[in-house]
Amino acid sequence: MANIKSAKKRIEVSARNAERNKAIRSGVKTAVKKVNAAIEANDKEAAKAALLNATSVIERACTKGVYHKNYAARKISRLAIAVNKMN
């Protein structure tokens, strides 16, 4: 454990941020799973609704600095392509 006050604070702040990032990433994974589940069930309307929600969640994660903007864009693009390929 650190002895200097500023070092102790940095440890606490980084732990808090890591916890926040973990929760945001988990939310993104859940949203993506819902889109994939709707695609597997071949339910286009549910897939579109889930895609809209997933896009919002991914964009929010990008804004918070959890994901790089190109990573977020790629993730959204791949989901949109998968939904648009549905019959």
Side-chain angles (χ1 to χ4, degrees), residues 15-53:
R16 185 176 66 228
N17 289 343
E19 197 66 34
R20 189 197 82 197
N21 291 346
K22 193 174 171 185
I24 291 171
R25 279 196 194 100
S26 176
V28 169
K29 284 180 185 177
T30 303
V32 169
K33 281 181 186 176
K34 286 181 181 177
V35 174
N36 290 331
I39 291 170
E40 289 294 319
N42 212 17
D43 186 357
K44 190 155 183 131
E45 292 305 313
K48 283 185 178 180
L51 174 65
L52 196 65
N53 180 48

Side-chain angles (χ1 to χ4, degrees), residues 14 24 26 28 33 41 44 47 56 60 63 70 73 76 78-79 84-85:
S14 64
I24 291 171
S26 176
V28 169
K33 281 181 186 176
K44 190 155 183 131
S56 172
R60 203 172 312 123
T63 314
N70 290 353
I76 291 168
R78 287 177 178 169
L79 285 174
N84 290 336
K85 276 187 179 177

Side-chain angles (χ1 to χ4, degrees), residues 73-84:
R74 185 173 66 240
K75 210 163 189 54
I76 291 168
S77 174
R78 287 177 178 169
L79 285 174
I81 288 168
V83 170
N84 290 336

